[in-house]
């Protein structure tokens, strides 16, 4: 079976040695407190930065707070999203006007009340012809914490797009899907992630799971909700491998101290 490699080099100032091949990063900003490292994600996602509806309020309100020595309006001009998409019931009028005046495209998708704003943004990215031949990795800032229905909705989006690399991020941790169609090799950038981690069967029982590189490895072990799932596990090596017959969520803590020593964004 094909091996899919993963890394967290997008949390480092330079993207060297990324999965053995270049990824094109895209950033989606959600309506939840911005992680402190959002400017780093912004830099890596040079081709496309999107705000999901009220995510634009977060960019407008919170990004200037990360640069206390600079004028807020200068920061807002420097961090101009390419697109704002969603049902537009959370973005404030002044914020929409500000970014539209700077040239940001705004797409009102209020006719669809069955999919979340994050879903709408991911579907939009998938349909972009100029990104079709690139290996994409969608970084989602502000995806965790706060309202549990939103968190689960965000996790459901990564399950609905199993063939797209999507990484949900908060200040504290990241979550991504490990599809069962591949074996997985996860490179651990221990300066910025770990050691706490988890492997969670999301779509039903997974009969057989085998891992290496963890303190509590699985060896042809079953996992299911209501039975064994792997939480509070610890990364032990530079590489974690995972094989499973079912899609799993991989989560790992983000090391705040490590992020702060990574230099300027
Ligand atoms: N507390 C939260 N935790 C995690 N993600 C969130 C949270 N709040 C919003 N989001 C994400 O940001 C996106 C945009 O948020 P926004 O508040 O604009 O959505 P919304 O559709 O207006 O929400 P609702 O109408 O349910 O309050 C959502 O689709 C969701 O993915
Ligand atoms: C069964 C069911 N539950 C909830 C909603 C509501 N809903 C889900 S996504 C969305 C858009 C949010 O921007 C809204 C309003 C629905 N349509 N169907």
């Amino acid at each position: 079976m094909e091996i899919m490699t993963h890394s967290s080099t997008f949390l480092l100032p330079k993207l060297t040695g990324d999965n053995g091949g270049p990824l094109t990063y895209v950033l989606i900003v959600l309506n939840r407190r911005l992680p402190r490292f959002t400017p780093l994600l912004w830099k890596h996602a040079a081709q496309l930065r999107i705000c999901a509806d009220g995510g634009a309020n977060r960019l407008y309100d919170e990004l200037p707070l990360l640069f206390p020595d600079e004028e807020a309006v200068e920061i807002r001009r420097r961090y101009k999203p390419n697109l704002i998409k969603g049902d537009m019931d959370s973005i404030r009028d002044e914020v929409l006007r500000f970014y539209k005046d700077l040239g940001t495209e705004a797409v009102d998708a209020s006719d669809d009340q069955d999919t979340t704003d994050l879903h709408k943004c991911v579907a939009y990215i998938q349909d972009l012809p100029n990104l079709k031949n690139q290996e994409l990795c969608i970084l989602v800032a502000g995806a965790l914490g706060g309202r549990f229905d939103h968190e689960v909705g965000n996790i459901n989006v990564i399950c609905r797009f199993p063939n797209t690399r999507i990484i949900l991020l908060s200040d504290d941790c990241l979550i991504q899907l490990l599809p069962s169609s591949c074996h997985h090799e996860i490179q651990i950038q221990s300066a910025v992630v770990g050691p706490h981690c988890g492997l969670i069967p999301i779509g039903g029982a997974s009969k057989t799971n085998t891992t290496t590189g963890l303190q509590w490895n699985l060896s042809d072990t079953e996992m299911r909700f209501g039975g064994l799932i792997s939480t509070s596990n610890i990364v032990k090596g530079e590489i974690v491998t995972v094989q499973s017959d079912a899609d799993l969520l991989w989560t790992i803590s983000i090391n705040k101290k490590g992020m702060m020593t990574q230099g300027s964004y």
Side-chain angles (χ1 to χ4, degrees):
M1 195 180 277
E2 199 184 324
I3 297 179
M4 186 174 183
T5 59
H6 309 267
S7 81
S8 306
T9 54
F10 55 84
L11 292 174
L12 297 170
K14 289 224 166 77
L15 289 170
T16 47
D18 210 353
N19 301 304
L23 291 177
T24 299
Y25 289 97
V26 171
L27 175 64
I28 302 178
V29 176
L30 300 186
N31 189 11
R32 174 75 196 148
R33 197 179 70 216
L34 288 186
R36 274 178 304 189
F37 48 80
T38 302
L40 187 60
L41 307 181
W42 188 277
K43 185 178 85 173
H44 293 323
Q47 281 206 33
L48 185 59
R49 293 108 174 193
I50 300 178
C51 291
D53 190 4
N57 299 341
R58 300 291 177 156
L59 200 65
Y60 186 91
D61 294 336
E62 296 178 13
L63 211 56
L65 305 178
L66 301 174
F67 300 91
D69 298 335
E70 295 184 57
E71 287 288 332
V73 70
E74 283 309 315
I75 299 300
R76 289 176 187 137
R77 286 201 189 111
R78 194 188 311 157
Y79 290 90
K80 172 180 89 72
N82 304 90
L83 174 76
I84 301 169
K85 187 169 168 88
D87 61 3
M88 303 303 199
D89 61 350
S90 300
I91 188 170
R92 302 197 306 274
D93 288 346
E94 54 157 339
V95 174
L96 183 57
R97 206 170 323 112
F98 178 86
Y99 288 122
K100 271 183 151 179
D101 287 350
L102 287 185
T104 297
E105 190 188 348
V107 178
D108 182 338
S110 52
D111 50 328
D112 173 2
Q113 289 296 311
D114 291 334
T115 63
T116 66
D117 295 325
L118 174 59
H119 183 118
K120 292 176 176 93
C121 290
V122 172
Y124 171 91
I125 292 165
Q126 290 218 314
D127 289 344
L128 283 177
N130 58 338
L131 294 179
K132 274 261 156 29
N133 297 322
Q134 306 190 34
E135 171 115 20
L136 288 186
C137 180
I138 302 177
L139 305 173
V140 184
L144 306 163
R147 266 176 54 187
F148 186 62
D149 63 329
H150 272 313
E151 289 185 291
V152 175
N154 295 338
I155 291 171
N156 190 42
V157 170
I158 65 178
C159 296
R160 287 181 86 159
F161 295 91
N163 300 320
T164 303
R165 290 177 187 264
I166 304 176
I167 302 182
L168 303 180
L169 291 146
S170 71
D171 264 321
D172 301 309
C173 71
L174 65 80
I175 302 180
Q176 65 188 91
L177 190 76
L178 304 180
S180 60
S181 53
C182 293
H183 290 174
H184 298 275
E185 185 180 294
I186 306 166
Q187 295 156 7
I188 307 297
Q189 278 70 39
S190 56
V192 287
V193 294
H196 297 99
C197 65
L199 272 174
I200 298 146
I202 190 71
S206 61
K207 283 252 158 289
T208 162
N209 298 277
T210 301
T211 66
T212 64
L214 301 175
Q215 181 160 339
W216 289 277
N217 280 305
L218 301 161
S219 176
D220 201 8
T221 313
E222 177 174 329
M223 290 199 289
R224 63 183 165 82
F225 262 101
L228 174 78
I229 65 169
S230 178
T231 58
S232 299
N233 212 328
I234 303 277
V235 165
K236 278 297 179 192
E238 296 278 288
I239 291 183
V240 170
T241 67
V242 180
Q243 297 181 16
S244 176
D245 64 333
D247 291 357
L248 299 179
L249 294 179
W250 164 252
T251 180
I252 188 162
S253 54
I254 294 179
N255 173 343
K256 279 190 191 154
K257 270 199 194 140
M259 290 302 301
M260 279 157 70
T261 57
Q262 288 305 309
S264 69
Y265 300 145

